[in-house]
Amino acid sequence: MAFAESIHDVVRDAPLGQLVRFFTNDRLFKYPEERPNFKLPEPWIRMMSDGAEPDRLPRPTPSTPSTISNSNRLQEGVEKEYKVSNAPELELDLESKDFSEDQPTGLTPKITKDGTILVDWYCEEDNANPHNWSNLRRALLALLICFYTFVVYLTSAIYTPSTQGVMEKFGVSNLEATLGLAMYVLGYGVGPLLFSPLGEIPRIGRSPVYIITLGLFVVLSIPTALVNNFPGLIILRFLQGFFGSPCLASGGASMSDMYSMIHLPFAMIAWVAAMSCGPSLGPLLSGFAVPAKNWRWSLYESIWVSAPVLIALFIFMPETSGPNILLRRAQRLRKLTGSQKLMSQSEIEQSHMTVSGIAIDALIKPLEITLKDPAVMFVQVYSAIVYGIYYSYFEVFPLVYPVFYNMNLGQVGLVFLCIVIGCIAAIIVYSSYLYFVVIPRMKKVGMGPQENVLLPGLPTSFGPTLGLFMFAWTARASIHWIVPTVGISIYAGSVFIVLQCMFLYIPLSYPQYAASLFAANDFFRSALASGSILFAHPLYQNLGFSKGTSLLGGLSVVGIIGMWLLFFYGAKLRALSKFATSAED
């Protein structure tokens, strides 16, 4: 019975259930407030009585407009991907469902000075709260988000084996043919700058953004596979990446909607693993089909893998954003009681939000912080470098393995599995470190300085450089192919851990701007990756793959220096920054 109710709730909150409710005038898939036997909890009934004198909270006024950057409550919604309480009088509870000091308690609702009753969870165990969903339900939804992310990244590199066919079909050069990959990567870097702020607006929520954009992604994949002119192919590939991008920036926010802080790192590991493994498996899937059929088959395969994800999201992807869930609850309670005093916190704040405020926080503020804060600048630059190097592999592998080891396209695709193997090894190591070292320490003494999260990155920062030089100088006919391939695995695994450390450090140090900074980081990474796809082939042609890869290995030394400087001097940099918070704040 409980399982059936859980499935009912999932489908009800998914796009399919919402459409059914719309066309049946809410007669099917009813919420508790819409059922005849529903009764408000006793504290709510007392609150609504005229004689109640509860504790009152100040309500935002038009004279002090609330935007994403200056509202604590909205910060929880917009930057919810990494909730951090910076109030000195509160002790961080790692197991708690919430970390906002201004929220209602979840048992007795709060009331503002003008008499507005803030709609919140009915109790600590409220089943509408995503943190209270069953482990199985959260795990399945997390898996769905991971697979969604995986498919979008997979579709980027699945095009790679088709490059030669595109050159022959349209009479273009190799550099022009690689635009099909480069523009897709650029598209999913630009997209989050628009879609990430949209998904954080409580009245919209995450689920509509996911389903609409993925629907457009699948629809656009059809003409992309059938187009008969080269400019049309490049434009459609850019639009594919653009509309596939929301999960790449907001997937982590969806995870944090469901998991408490102590369990969130494990969910993030799964999500980042999907991001890392997706591009590496693309050439494997199309590497055998393209030579056997034709260049369009890689694009057909992108339709086949994305359409099932769209169907699954349409049926099973509920809204996970707490502010959106409470906003819709407030609407139902007003309809039930006829009282206009019942409002969610997000409704109050949305009335004072401005389009310019949202645009500044989403576009201008991340750029300002990046330019003014050395720690953020390092994270953006270094992550862009390692991501650019990663995508350059799609150009260098065909120059190495077919030439020295007589591999065909399908076998070269199999070599990309070394990236997956490196990531799996890194997942095992990093998860063990979190489980056996970090979590017990956090339960015992708390978080400590933010720089503690960088500890695993200190030794692994040498890995990218080591792996690149190993690949550069062992890839030759006289040395077995497994040796340079191991170098790539070392690179992939060490980069995975280093990025996990940096991506945890940023939201702990800059909680108010975390979501915006991650959208900006996605843009920086994708922009350089897109460029690296284009300059990789001339680089390796002019310098040779050994010297060219060594040059990239030299660039990766920036990460070693930056990681150690950030660990030892990060606290001082944060003290000088007007954007950062410290553990003591």
Side-chain angles (χ1 to χ4, degrees):
M1 184 65 180
F3 179 75
E5 289 181 357
S6 180
I7 292 295
H8 171 275
D9 291 347
V10 169
V11 176
R12 178 195 64 200
D13 292 335
L16 173 62
Q18 294 299 302
L19 282 177
V20 171
R21 282 175 51 81
F22 176 78
F23 287 113
T24 62
N25 198 24
D26 300 338
R27 287 193 297 271
L28 297 178
F29 289 115
K30 291 185 177 181
Y31 286 91
E33 296 86 358
E34 297 169 331
R35 295 169 184 164
N37 60 348
F38 175 76
K39 184 180 179 182
L40 273 171
E42 199 62 35
W44 291 68
I45 297 175
R46 292 197 304 268
M47 178 72 70
M48 296 182 66
S49 65
D50 293 336
E53 288 294 336
D55 294 334
R56 295 176 180 266
L57 293 175
R59 173 174 175 169
T61 61
S63 61
T64 56
S66 173
T67 65
I68 291 179
S69 62
N70 60 21
S71 169
N72 289 340
R73 182 65 176 94
L74 192 55
Q75 174 187 326
E76 185 206 358
V78 176
E79 312 299 346
K80 188 168 183 177
E81 181 171 348
Y82 302 94
K83 300 179 192 157
V84 178
S85 173
N86 54 15
E89 67 273 13
L90 296 180
E91 182 178 353
L92 182 62
D93 181 2
L94 301 174
E95 298 285 359
S96 66
K97 309 297 185 189
D98 214 318
F99 299 100
S100 174
E101 60 182 292
D102 293 335
Q103 286 201 77
T105 64
L107 297 174
T108 302
K110 299 289 186 179
I111 185 169
T112 62
K113 288 184 177 180
D114 63 359
T116 299
I117 300 173
L118 299 181
V119 175
D120 196 63
W121 311 118
Y122 294 137
C123 62
E124 293 290 343
E125 296 77 27
D126 193 331
N127 289 329
N129 186 347
H131 282 279
N132 292 329
W133 292 347
S134 68
N135 290 332
L136 178 61
R137 180 177 176 182
R138 288 183 294 171
L140 290 176
L141 293 176
L143 181 64
L144 185 57
I145 293 169
C146 289
F147 194 55
Y148 174 17
T149 304
F150 172 80
V151 165
V152 173
Y153 274 105
L154 176 84
T155 305
S156 66
I158 206 171
Y159 169 88
T160 304
S162 297
T163 302
Q164 186 63 37
V166 170
M167 293 169 60
E168 296 171 358
K169 170 69 176 178
F170 299 112
V172 296
S173 66
N174 180 275
L175 181 63
E176 292 170 316
T178 56
L179 282 171
L181 173 59
M183 294 304 290
Y184 182 98
V185 173
L186 182 62
Y188 72 56
V190 173
L193 297 178
L194 170 65
F195 296 125
S196 184
L198 277 180
E200 300 294 353
I201 297 175
R203 194 169 293 277
I204 297 175
R206 309 194 201 285
S207 185
V209 175
Y210 285 159
I211 195 68
I212 292 173
T213 55
L214 184 60
L216 291 171
F217 176 90
V218 174
V219 170
L220 287 169
S221 296
I222 298 173
T224 303
L226 301 175
V227 67
N228 281 314
N229 63 84
F230 183 70
L233 173 65
I234 301 306
I235 292 172
L236 286 168
R237 284 288 289 174
F238 174 83
L239 292 175
Q240 263 192 310
F242 182 78
F243 287 112
S245 65
C247 64
L248 311 185
S250 300
S254 295
M255 295 293 189
S256 70
D257 289 336
M258 299 184 289
Y259 289 98
S260 61
M261 191 174 185
I262 200 168
H263 298 117
L264 180 60
F266 295 99
M268 294 295 292
I269 286 174
W271 180 60
V272 175
M275 296 170 57
S276 303
C277 296
S280 64
L281 292 178
L284 173 61
L285 290 184
S286 59
F288 291 99
V290 168
K293 297 293 183 178
N294 59 63
W295 66 272
R296 295 186 187 273
W297 272 72
S298 64
L299 303 176
Y300 294 150
E301 290 174 336
S302 70
I303 303 173
W304 300 338
V305 296
S306 59
V309 177
L310 175 62
I311 295 172
L313 256 66
F314 182 70
I315 299 174
F316 297 115
M317 189 67 213
E319 182 57 61
T320 61
S321 171
N324 177 274
I325 295 171
L326 292 175
L327 183 147
R328 290 186 287 124
R329 170 175 283 181
Q331 293 172 340
R332 294 192 298 271
L333 288 176
R334 287 197 294 270
K335 183 178 179 181
L336 172 68
T337 64
S339 173
Q340 298 303 308
K341 296 190 299 182
L342 293 162
M343 296 184 71
S344 68
Q345 184 75 42
S346 60
E347 284 181 294
I348 297 174
E349 287 159 354
Q350 279 188 123
S351 64
H352 304 298
M353 286 171 59
T354 62
V355 175
S356 61
I358 295 174
I360 288 173
D361 281 296
L363 302 175
I364 308 301
K365 185 61 70 175
L367 180 60
E368 179 187 357
I369 299 174
T370 299
L371 294 176
K372 293 182 178 180
D373 197 298
V376 176
M377 174 67 79
F378 163 69
V379 171
Q380 309 288 46
V381 170
Y382 183 53
S383 59
I385 289 175
V386 297
Y387 203 68
I389 293 172
Y390 179 25
Y391 267 92
S392 72
Y393 289 157
F394 298 105
E395 291 299 315
V396 73
F397 276 22
L399 300 177
V400 173
Y401 290 96
V403 175
F404 295 124
Y405 304 111
N406 299 316
M407 293 185 180
N408 58 35
L409 274 179
Q411 292 169 328
V412 172
L414 287 171
V415 173
F416 279 95
L417 287 175
C418 70
I419 296 176
V420 178
I421 294 171
C423 289
I424 291 174
I427 289 170
I428 294 172
V429 172
Y430 190 64
S431 298
S432 300
Y433 172 76
L434 288 175
Y435 187 80
F436 293 108
V437 179
V438 175
I439 291 178
R441 185 181 65 202
M442 289 170 67
K443 289 181 176 179
K444 186 177 181 180
V445 298
M447 289 287 296
Q450 283 94 315
E451 285 69 31
N452 284 349
V453 302
L454 299 176
L455 277 171
L458 297 181
T460 53
S461 64
F462 293 92
T465 305
L466 174 64
L468 287 170
F469 277 106
M470 183 175 177
F471 174 79
W473 298 104
T474 61
R476 59 195 65 194
S478 58
I479 299 176
H480 194 276
W481 62 267
I482 197 65
V483 179
T485 306
V486 168
I488 299 301
S489 295
I490 293 173
Y491 174 85
S494 55
V495 163
F496 184 91
I497 294 177
V498 168
L499 291 183
Q500 285 279 355
C501 295
M502 293 194 299
F503 287 174
L504 188 57
Y505 178 78
I506 287 297
L508 288 176
S509 300
Y510 308 86
Q512 188 174 358
Y513 307 104
S516 298
L517 285 175
F518 275 92
N521 181 267
D522 186 65
F523 172 74
F524 279 108
R525 286 186 291 116
S526 300
L528 186 58
S530 177
S532 73
I533 295 167
L534 299 178
F535 71 63
H537 200 78
L539 172 70
Y540 293 124
Q541 274 188 331
N542 294 325
L543 296 181
F545 73 89
S546 295
K547 292 181 180 179
T549 306
S550 297
L551 176 62
L552 298 178
L555 287 176
S556 68
V557 174
V558 172
I560 301 175
I561 300 171
M563 182 64 68
W564 286 78
L565 288 177
L566 193 60
F567 179 77
F568 287 107
Y569 297 102
K572 293 182 179 179
L573 291 175
R574 283 188 287 106
L576 297 175
S577 174
K578 67 177 182 179
F579 305 107
T581 62
S582 64
E584 292 78 18
D585 286 346

